[in-house]
Structure formats: structure tokens, C-alpha cells
Amino acid sequence: MTNDEIQKLAAGLADCGKELLRIADALTEKKVEAPAAEGQKDPEKKLSLEDVRRVAADKARQGHTDEVRQLIQKFGADKLSGVDVAKYPALMEELEAMGHAG
């Protein structure tokens, strides 16, 4: 390898390092901003019945119909529309985890 090739490689590595530092700085700035935003409710994170129904239907199509039914009952309802809206995040979390356990 010639000296010129080594210098080009070194310059390329330096550029990569600078870019990584720039990305790290940007991520650090976002982490600093995040706690201020945590106190505010994000309206985009509210789950609707349609959101939950979409995931539940997908799990049922994957062969988890009985488990979906049992989960709905666990959350105090006979059908999905009977589940309390306040319980949607917990229900969604369990639905998304369904089928991932060995």
C-alpha cells in the first residue's frame, strides 16, 4: 500500500469519526430536551379502539384467537369495545408481546 493510499484511508476514517461525533452530539441534545417534553401528554400516543382492534385482528389471523379472547376477558370485557380506554396501553403491550414468547 502506498503512502498516498494510506493518507486517503486515514482521511476517510477521520471523516467517519467526525460524523460519528456529530451524530452523538445530536443524540445527546435530544436526550436533554426529552425530560422537558415528558411532562406534557402527547396526543399522538393516545390509542383508539381502531388501533387496538387492528393489532388484535392481526394476532387472531396469526392463530392467536383464543389468546386474544382471553386477554380481552382479562381486561374485564367480553368484547374489545367493552375494554376501558384507560387500559388500552396495557392491552396493546400484551397484544404486541403475544406470540413472541417461546
Side-chain angles (χ1 to χ4, degrees):
M1 190 174 281
T2 67
N3 194 23
D4 188 42
E5 292 172 326
I6 292 173
Q7 287 180 346
K8 285 181 182 179
L9 287 174
L13 286 173
D15 289 343
C16 287
K18 289 175 188 175
E19 185 64 15
L20 286 172
L21 288 172
R22 187 193 64 74
I23 292 169
D25 287 342
L27 289 173
T28 302
E29 288 175 15
K30 287 187 182 208
K31 284 184 182 179
V32 170
E33 293 171 7
E38 272 183 36
Q40 303 168 355
K41 293 280 182 181
D42 186 0
E44 294 179 40
K45 292 193 177 191
K46 288 185 180 177
L47 294 171
S48 68
L49 174 60
E50 291 76 24
D51 295 329
V52 179
R53 181 174 282 141
R54 186 175 15 255
V55 174
D58 186 47
K59 293 298 179 176
R61 279 191 295 273
Q62 293 174 15
H64 299 287
T65 305
D66 290 335
E67 290 138 293
V68 170
R69 188 175 299 116
Q70 290 171 0
L71 193 56
I72 292 169
Q73 290 172 350
K74 175 183 171 183
F75 281 86
D78 292 327
K79 55 186 180 177
L80 188 57
S81 60
V83 175
D84 183 358
V85 175
K87 296 179 181 178
Y88 285 177
L91 175 59
M92 186 69 99
E93 187 175 314
E94 290 199 39
L95 282 168
E96 290 173 343
M98 191 177 289
H100 292 287

